[in-house]
Amino acid sequence: MSSRKSSRKPKKRSQSNELFKNKILAPILIAFLFGGILGYVITQPQVNTLKTNEDVLESQILFLEERINELKIKESELSQSQTVVNTLQSQMNSNKLENAALSEKVSSLNSEITVLENTLEDNKVQLSVAIQDAEMSEAEISKLNTRLNSITKTIEKFENDKLLLVELRKEIPSSRSEAHNHWERVKDIAIVSDPTLGPKIDKVISMIDAYYDWIDQQPGANSTDTEFFNWIIEGNISGAINYTSEIGKFQNDALLAVIIRMDAAISLVS
């Protein structure tokens, strides 16, 4: 009997130990699970918030990088625009100086032409008298008549040259219609002075519409640097920006034609 009792006691102890362990482990397990759930509930929104903040920061970084690239492009365009503006300003200053020099040259040429005309008229009268009164051979008379005809033609050309010089001193027209009328009138005078001036004035006339189309598209006071830069580029591509320089070339060629005739006239009276 005693041996049976002793064999049952360990089982009871084992069961009580098991129950004791279960009683201890159950709360721990529950606490662990509760803590995990609680931690998830608390930390997950924070994780989501951090993820959202990270996405926002990445978006802001991308935006700033794009903005930096845009600013670099604008800086480059601004630098190019400034270069173009400086070039145009330099060209404008040069044009002003050239116009002032042209005006002085035209005034001087007008005075010289007047002196030459008077001298030619005197020579014409003298030659006419000499041909009528002098006893000369036919060859000598023919030579004097040739010279007389040259003087007469030169005087006639000088009258046209003076009209051309007057037109060259005028300001460049401010409107399209005025420009067409002005340069067509100049052409009519120029080709009488020198027919080779015709193609040169035609080039100026051919650029009138392109130039005034470009001027009509000029950006306003509130335009951006990019818009102004693109406008300048368009003027270069179309060639409209070269309108005034072509006028300058024609003016120089016209003056040269007058000067050459004056040199020829001097040889007639010398």
Side-chain angles (χ1 to χ4, degrees):
M1 291 291 292
S2 61
S3 62
R4 288 179 181 176
K5 288 180 180 179
S6 61
S7 62
R8 288 177 180 174
K9 286 180 181 179
K11 285 185 178 180
K12 288 182 178 180
R13 287 178 182 174
S14 175
Q15 289 175 353
S16 68
N17 288 337
E18 194 70 29
L19 289 172
F20 180 74
K21 289 179 180 179
N22 289 338
K23 287 180 180 180
I24 294 175
L25 290 174
I28 293 173
L29 182 60
I30 292 171
F32 178 77
L33 291 173
F34 179 76
I37 294 170
L38 182 62
Y40 177 82
V41 170
I42 294 174
T43 59
Q44 188 60 36
Q46 295 176 343
V47 171
N48 291 338
T49 301
L50 290 173
K51 179 63 176 173
T52 301
N53 290 340
E54 183 181 358
D55 292 340
V56 171
L57 287 173
E58 287 181 356
S59 176
Q60 290 176 340
I61 290 171
L62 289 174
F63 172 78
L64 290 174
E65 287 177 346
E66 291 176 357
R67 184 60 179 164
I68 288 171
N69 290 333
E70 289 176 0
L71 290 174
K72 286 181 179 179
I73 293 172
K74 286 185 177 295
E75 182 181 8
S76 175
E77 291 178 347
L78 181 60
S79 177
Q80 294 177 23
S81 296
Q82 189 61 51
T83 300
V84 173
V85 169
N86 290 340
T87 301
L88 289 175
Q89 186 64 49
S90 176
Q91 185 177 347
M92 287 177 61
N93 293 336
S94 177
N95 287 341
K96 288 180 180 178
L97 293 174
E98 289 177 0
N99 287 337
L102 175 67
S103 181
E104 291 181 7
K105 186 66 176 178
V106 168
S107 179
S108 175
L109 287 176
N110 264 322
S111 299
E112 292 177 23
I113 286 176
T114 300
V115 173
L116 276 173
E117 275 189 308
N118 292 334
T119 304
L120 288 172
E121 287 288 356
D122 291 341
N123 273 259
K124 181 179 177 181
V125 172
Q126 292 172 10
L127 284 173
S128 297
V129 172
I131 291 171
Q132 291 175 2
D133 298 341
E135 294 182 359
M136 299 179 182
S137 64
E138 290 184 4
E140 290 175 326
I141 292 175
S142 176
K143 185 178 180 180
L144 288 176
N145 277 324
T146 300
R147 185 179 177 187
L148 181 61
N149 289 334
S150 295
I151 290 175
T152 302
K153 289 180 180 179
T154 300
I155 292 173
E156 292 173 354
K157 287 284 188 179
F158 274 156
E159 289 300 317
N160 193 81
D161 289 342
K162 287 194 291 185
L163 293 176
L164 180 59
L165 292 176
V166 169
E167 295 298 330
L168 293 180
R169 293 189 68 176
K170 292 181 179 179
E171 294 289 334
I172 296 176
S174 58
S175 72
R176 188 191 307 262
S177 60
E178 289 176 353
H180 276 292
N181 292 334
H182 172 73
W183 292 116
E184 288 292 347
R185 183 171 63 254
V186 172
K187 179 182 177 180
D188 291 339
I189 298 171
I191 58 177
V192 174
S193 288
D194 186 350
T196 63
L197 293 174
K200 297 170 183 177
I201 189 66
D202 281 339
K203 189 169 185 180
V204 173
I205 293 172
S206 69
M207 298 177 69
I208 292 175
D209 288 327
Y211 174 76
Y212 285 97
D213 285 343
W214 179 62
I215 291 297
D216 290 341
Q217 296 168 2
Q218 183 175 0
N222 297 325
S223 61
T224 64
D225 293 330
T226 300
E227 290 172 334
F228 181 76
F229 176 73
N230 290 336
W231 178 69
I232 296 295
I233 294 299
E234 179 60 31
N236 278 289
I237 293 173
S238 66
I241 203 170
N242 297 321
Y243 172 66
T244 54
S245 62
E246 287 299 328
I247 291 174
K249 291 178 183 178
F250 166 74
Q251 290 172 333
N252 289 333
D253 290 336
L255 288 178
L256 181 60
V258 174
I259 291 171
I260 290 174
R261 190 176 351 272
M262 290 174 64
D263 289 340
I266 291 172
S267 67
L268 285 175
V269 297
S270 59

